[in-house]
Amino acid sequence: ERGNGHGGIRTVSAATSSPLKKRVAESLLGMSLEEGAFLKEFSSAAPPKLRVPAWFPWLPTKDQIRELECSELREACAERGLDKFGNKKELRGRLQDWTRKQHERRVLDRRVGLTPTTRSSIARSPLDDMTDQALP
């Protein structure tokens, strides 16, 4: 057994490990621990592909949503607790609706701390009217 001492991945050698460690490793891996079999199989395996690109933000723009493929849209919807079934157009719409609601919620949260006099000194918008109706 070799490890870096920092809680990283440890490798198990069939030649130097105890029988108990071999059995534990075999049960976790679901394969026999012949000399180097795990290391050969592990090193030849391609790294797992991320389903949603690493650059994709939690609150994406419409253009960022448009760039995703169907499988990536499904995963993005699932990560946000949305229904992940449907065609590409439906998934895009669902994710855009969710993003719009998140932005509206953020605006409302920011405006809660404003006093009525502060609100009246700022230019009014349709969102201000919605905010006034939603807040007591």
Side-chain angles (χ1 to χ4, degrees):
E1 177 177 351
R2 289 175 272 143
N4 60 9
H6 300 293
I9 297 174
R10 294 183 176 195
T11 57
V12 177
S13 170
T16 60
S17 294
S18 71
L20 177 61
K21 287 182 183 177
K22 288 179 196 175
R23 283 195 303 269
V24 169
E26 286 173 353
S27 68
L28 291 172
L29 296 172
M31 58 189 250
S32 176
L33 261 186
E34 297 173 13
E35 183 62 38
F38 171 69
L39 293 177
K40 287 178 191 171
E41 190 156 330
F42 183 75
S43 63
S44 66
K49 183 180 183 276
L50 293 174
R51 300 187 103 184
V52 176
W55 58 262
F56 193 71
W58 185 249
L59 290 174
T61 64
K62 190 181 281 190
D63 289 335
Q64 290 169 330
I65 293 171
R66 209 175 288 138
E67 291 181 28
L68 294 182
E69 296 175 7
C70 196
S71 62
E72 294 168 332
L73 284 166
R74 288 182 202 285
E75 189 65 26
C77 285
E79 285 178 357
R80 289 156 180 82
L82 304 172
D83 187 10
K84 63 180 186 175
F85 301 103
N87 60 31
K88 196 171 188 176
K89 184 178 178 179
E90 293 169 344
L91 293 168
R92 279 183 182 157
R94 194 173 298 134
L95 194 53
Q96 287 172 352
D97 289 343
W98 179 87
T99 301
R100 188 177 313 106
K101 288 176 186 174
Q102 296 304 311
H103 282 297
E104 289 171 1
R105 193 174 293 159
R106 289 173 73 187
V107 169
L108 288 174
D109 289 346
R110 288 181 184 162
R111 290 185 179 266
V112 166
L114 297 176
T115 62
T117 56
T118 309
R119 282 190 211 150
S120 62
S121 65
I122 301 172
R124 306 254 333 139
S125 72
L127 185 58
D128 291 319
D129 296 334
M130 290 185 344
T131 304
D132 290 341
Q133 291 174 0
L135 297 174

